[in-house]
């Protein structure tokens, strides 16, 4: 999905951060409401099993705990995604002996969300999710951020600690791999 | 599926999907997609992929927000979770408190040292070193020359304890050592003294011969 853009009536992320820093706790709620769902989608897309909310919550807690270190030269959204990605990777490293990545199909089957049940029923969409599973972790991250979240290559590079050029290459390689999978 | 050779257009398809292009670029890309089957097919694939991957697991936003607020209270002492303007005052206050504490420690140490010096036993010499107030104006110490710990070998005689000087009562000469140590004047004075002696033995004395060395000493 595209970056949550505040309407004219809604304060920007920067304004909410300033309000939070001045003691307005309501600002935290607004920021969580704005970014929690895209983060949950991204975390689930990375294969985090059943602990998506825990990762998302940890992401926000860590982000808010160090908001003073947030330079503002990247968007809050990019920063949150970067934290979430690192958390998922850390958790995967900590799960020795266990599968660190669960298939998107398994995750969708494990959830009780009505919309997901409907999505799983759609064979075409299920085939596309399987196609994404064939990607390398980096390709999957880049492709998800580009297609699902609508991030620019610059933002993606910031999240995955790479360059814009490398992000572009990963995206096109992912696209080619998906096409080949679907053509087979 | 085939790929369009216009890589720049393919790059913009996700942005077109998310409506993130300005009007002019969007119109240009839309025109290209309308005339390019490969890009139209890829755009449709992207749309389907987005739809397939969009469902997100439910997360309790309220609970997460509560956790964030609670973590702020739990880490209220942490300097990095508070706003900058509220951090400055406590930091400055802590700095001043540390300086005051350090001043007290220094004063206590000085007072303790002074007290110990005052109550030291009297037979113990007390050395109080005072720093000069004007270093440039302090003259060099009069006994600043430090004697060598060991005398040079060629002047080993100097370390010998000198014998008590012998004084010739009649001449006022001080005989400290042998004749070789006398100067020319002393030798002449000594000879004159000998010549003036009245009690000369009968036997002729052996003639004395002496030489004045280069160093002025008699040999």
């Amino acid at each position: 999905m595209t970056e949550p853009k505040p309407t004219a009536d809604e304060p920007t992320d920067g304004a909410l951060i300033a309000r939070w820093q001045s003691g307005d706790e309501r600002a935290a709620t607004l920021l969580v409401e704005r970014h929690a769902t895209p983060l949950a989608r991204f975390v689930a897309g990375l294969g985090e099993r059943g602990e998506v909310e825990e990762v998302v919550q940890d992401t926000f807690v860590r982000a808010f705990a160090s908001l003073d270190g947030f330079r503002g030269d990247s968007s809050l959204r990019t920063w949150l995604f970067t934290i979430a990605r690192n958390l998922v990777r850390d958790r995967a490293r900590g799960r020795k002996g266990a599968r660190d990545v669960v298939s998107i199909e398994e995750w969708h089957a494990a959830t009780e969300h009505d919309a997901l049940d409907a999505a799983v029923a759609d064979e075409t969409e299920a085939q596309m999710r399987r196609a994404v599973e064939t990607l390398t972790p980096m390709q999957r991250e880049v492709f998800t951020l580009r297609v699902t979240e609508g991030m620019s290559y610059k933002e993606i590079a910031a999240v995955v600690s790479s360059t814009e050029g490398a992000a572009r290459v990963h995206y096109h390689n992912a696209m080619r791999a998906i096409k080949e999978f679907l053509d087979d | 599926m085939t790929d369009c050779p216009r890589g720049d257009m393919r790059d913009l398809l996700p942005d077109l999907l998310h409506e993130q292009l300005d009007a002019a670029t969007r119109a240009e890309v839309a025109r290209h997609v309308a005339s390019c089957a490969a890009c139209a097919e890829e755009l449709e694939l992207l749309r389907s992929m987005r739809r397939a991957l969009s469902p997100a697991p439910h997360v309790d936003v309220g609970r997460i927000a509560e956790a964030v607020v609670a973590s702020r209270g739990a880490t209220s002492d942490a300097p990095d979770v508070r706003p900058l303007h509220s951090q400055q005052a406590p930091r400055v206050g802590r700095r001043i408190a540390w300086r005051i504490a350090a001043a007290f420690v220094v004063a206590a140490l000085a007072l303790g040292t002074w007290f110990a010096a005052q109550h030291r036993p009297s037979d113990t010499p007390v050395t109080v070193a005072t720093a000069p107030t004007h270093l440039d104006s302090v003259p060099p110490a009069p006994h600043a020359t430090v004697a060598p710990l060991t005398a040079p070998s060629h002047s080993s005689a100097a370390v010998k304890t000198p014998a008590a000087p012998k004084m010739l009562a009649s001449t006022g000469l001080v005989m400290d050592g042998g004749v070789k140590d006398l100067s020319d004047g002393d030798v002449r004075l000594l000879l004159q003294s000998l010549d003036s002696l009245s009690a000369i033995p009968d036997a002729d004395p052996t003639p004395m011969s002496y030489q004045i060395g280069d160093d002025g000493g008699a040999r």
Side-chain angles (χ1 to χ4, degrees):
Chain A
M1 296 295 170
T2 56
E3 180 174 4
K5 295 176 181 177
T7 64
D9 298 335
E10 293 178 333
T12 63
D13 285 352
L16 289 173
I17 291 172
R19 281 170 52 181
W20 161 261
Q21 289 176 331
S22 63
D24 183 1
E25 295 179 352
R26 171 66 182 160
T29 303
L30 293 175
L31 284 170
V32 171
E33 287 175 349
R34 184 173 293 174
H35 296 288
T37 298
L39 273 175
R41 180 169 47 240
F42 177 64
V43 170
L46 297 185
E48 189 59 41
R49 183 215 310 254
E51 298 172 341
V52 173
E53 182 169 321
E54 185 179 334
V55 173
V56 173
Q57 176 176 309
D58 203 6
T59 299
F60 277 107
V61 169
R62 287 169 185 250
F64 276 82
S66 53
L67 265 182
D68 288 336
F70 177 60
R71 298 191 300 269
D73 50 2
S74 62
S75 70
L76 176 66
R77 181 179 71 143
T78 303
W79 193 44
L80 290 171
F81 273 82
T82 304
I83 296 173
R85 176 180 182 266
N86 292 337
L87 284 174
V88 171
R89 291 200 161 202
D90 289 345
R91 294 165 72 92
R93 288 192 201 100
R95 284 195 294 260
K96 293 180 180 178
R99 290 165 55 193
D100 55 356
V101 175
V102 65
S103 70
I104 297 176
E105 284 300 304
E106 279 182 309
W107 171 75
H108 278 286
T111 54
E112 298 175 353
H113 199 258
D114 293 340
L116 294 182
D117 292 338
V120 170
D122 189 326
E123 178 56 30
T124 303
E125 292 182 1
Q127 181 78 351
M128 290 183 176
R129 285 193 288 272
R130 282 193 287 271
V132 173
E133 289 176 23
T134 64
L135 303 176
T136 66
M138 178 64 84
Q139 287 175 345
R140 185 196 289 202
E141 290 175 5
V142 171
F143 187 83
T144 302
L145 292 172
R146 182 77 175 130
V147 176
T148 309
E149 307 303 330
M151 283 190 180
S152 67
Y153 290 122
K154 182 179 180 181
E155 290 175 308
I156 295 170
V159 172
V160 301
S161 302
S162 184
T163 63
E164 289 185 50
R168 180 178 282 105
V169 170
H170 285 306
Y171 167 76
H172 285 291
N173 287 340
M175 197 68 197
R176 184 180 304 115
I178 289 173
K179 286 181 176 177
E180 289 174 358
F181 179 87
L182 295 175
D183 283 343
D184 289 342
Chain B
M1 293 184 187
T2 57
D3 289 340
C4 172
R6 291 284 305 273
D8 57 333
M9 288 294 150
R10 292 183 62 207
D11 260 347
L12 295 174
L13 293 179
D15 298 319
L16 180 67
L17 183 66
H18 288 271
E19 301 178 350
Q20 292 176 319
L21 299 174
D22 59 77
T25 308
R26 185 176 58 194
E28 180 184 358
V29 175
R31 278 196 302 273
H32 172 78
V33 170
S35 61
C36 175
C39 281
E41 192 176 15
E42 185 166 319
L43 180 62
E44 185 55 36
L45 174 62
L46 288 174
R47 188 172 285 115
S48 300
M49 295 293 294
R50 180 188 179 190
R51 191 183 313 117
L53 300 175
S54 286
H58 173 72
V59 289
D60 190 340
V61 174
R63 198 167 72 87
I64 294 174
E66 287 177 5
V68 170
V69 173
S71 70
R72 179 186 216 179
T75 58
S76 58
D77 291 334
D80 58 344
V81 298
R82 288 182 295 178
L84 188 61
H85 58 79
S86 66
Q87 287 181 33
Q88 297 303 321
R91 282 180 179 173
V92 171
R94 280 198 296 272
R95 200 176 304 135
I96 292 174
W98 274 110
R99 287 178 179 174
I100 291 174
F104 271 113
V105 170
V106 171
L109 286 174
L111 191 62
T113 304
W114 176 82
F115 187 77
Q118 292 297 317
H119 291 76
R120 191 185 297 264
S122 58
D123 56 347
T124 304
V126 177
T127 302
V128 178
T130 56
T133 53
H134 302 289
L135 292 176
D136 294 337
S137 62
V138 175
H143 302 294
T145 305
V146 178
L149 293 177
T150 56
S153 58
H154 67 274
S155 61
S156 60
V159 299
K160 293 179 181 177
T161 303
K166 298 173 184 176
M167 179 174 289
L168 295 175
S170 58
T171 62
L173 287 174
V174 176
M175 293 299 289
D176 184 10
V179 178
K180 290 189 285 186
D181 296 328
L182 297 176
S183 65
D184 291 349
D186 291 338
V187 170
R188 273 191 291 273
L189 186 60
L190 177 60
L191 290 174
Q192 288 171 3
S193 300
L194 289 174
D195 289 341
S196 63
L197 289 175
S198 56
I200 301 176
D202 294 337
D204 291 335
T206 305
M208 287 179 62
S209 63
Y210 57 89
Q211 296 176 341
I212 306 297
D214 295 334
D215 57 355
R219 298 182 188 276

